[in-house]
Amino acid sequence: MYLYSRILISLGLWQWPDVGHIPKLKDLDLFRLPQALTTFIGQNLGAKEYDRAKKGALFGTICGIGIAEVIGIAVFFFSPYLIAAFGGDQKAIEYGIAEAHTIALFYCLLAFSHCMAAIQRGAGRSIVPMFVMMIVWCGVRVTYISIVIRIIPVINVIYWAYPLTWFISSVIFLILFLKTDWIHGLEKQ
């Protein structure tokens, strides 16, 4: 992390956290749908409406991915204007735009992970998404940044940590969704 701090300071990116969070606009809507999906799955599995739960899981996941991609495309194209609106150093604005252009088109992976985690939670298996997200989004991401930044000391390494860990968690959640009996999760408790 010392090297990461040195890179930020040497590149004049002490203002980067202020303008670089425009790509985080996706968080406004991406967390609402999975919360509703958790409730929907839990209620329908509790009522033994398994087909409705399966259809709802599919519909909610498709909607989540679609909404995320629309937001991602908007952030990708409008990030120069949105980030510049907050002012700041020109170099910091450039880095914020670079971050947006790196991660915005991968919001679909983030949405997929959140929807799959919501389905697991709704099925009464809340510990599964907690561990997947904690291990991948914290452990793997920090390890990746700590190791790769020493080999390739550029800021883009940090930007790519997000889509990379979103992809890994999406694969894990897809395997869990397809290979486990989440439909009968509440009955087994």
Side-chain angles (χ1 to χ4, degrees):
M1 294 318 281
Y2 173 72
L3 183 59
Y4 170 66
S5 300
R6 282 189 21 206
I7 290 171
L8 288 178
I9 291 168
S10 69
L11 294 174
L13 294 181
W14 54 88
Q15 295 178 6
W16 175 74
D18 296 330
V19 297
H21 290 304
I22 292 297
K24 308 300 188 276
L25 287 172
K26 52 125 176 43
D27 293 343
L28 296 175
D29 287 316
L30 285 190
F31 297 132
R32 291 184 189 139
L33 184 65
Q35 288 172 346
L37 194 55
T38 297
T39 303
F40 181 84
I41 297 297
Q43 288 176 342
N44 282 287
L45 292 181
K48 299 191 186 321
E49 293 285 341
Y50 303 125
D51 287 336
R52 189 167 186 222
K54 286 180 186 177
K55 288 176 186 175
L58 180 63
F59 180 78
T61 302
I62 290 170
C63 285
I65 291 169
I67 291 167
E69 216 40 42
V70 167
I71 292 170
I73 290 168
V75 167
F76 184 87
F77 287 110
F78 294 111
S79 61
Y81 310 107
L82 294 169
I83 293 171
F86 286 93
D89 182 67
Q90 183 59 34
K91 198 74 167 165
I93 292 170
E94 290 172 13
Y95 283 103
I97 293 168
E99 178 191 16
H101 285 174
T102 302
I103 68 173
L105 298 179
F106 295 99
Y107 288 168
C108 58
L109 294 174
L110 179 62
F112 182 79
S113 288
H114 277 296
C115 288
M116 291 291 114
I119 292 166
Q120 293 290 327
R121 286 187 202 103
R125 303 179 67 209
S126 60
I127 199 144
V128 172
M130 179 191 71
F131 277 118
V132 170
M133 290 176 163
M134 187 174 59
I135 291 167
V136 177
W137 292 5
C138 297
V140 173
R141 188 177 291 163
V142 169
T143 303
Y144 161 81
I145 291 171
S146 299
I147 293 170
V148 178
I149 199 77
R150 294 177 196 282
I151 300 166
I152 308 168
V154 294
I155 195 79
N156 291 1
V157 165
I158 296 165
Y159 302 156
W160 277 103
Y162 291 91
L164 175 68
T165 52
W166 295 339
F167 174 76
I168 293 168
S169 65
S170 292
V171 169
I172 293 169
F173 280 127
L174 181 61
I175 291 168
L176 288 169
F177 181 76
L178 296 174
K179 298 293 182 185
T180 62
D181 186 20
W182 64 270
I183 279 290
H184 299 102
L186 293 177
E187 292 176 2
K188 294 178 181 178
Q189 291 183 351

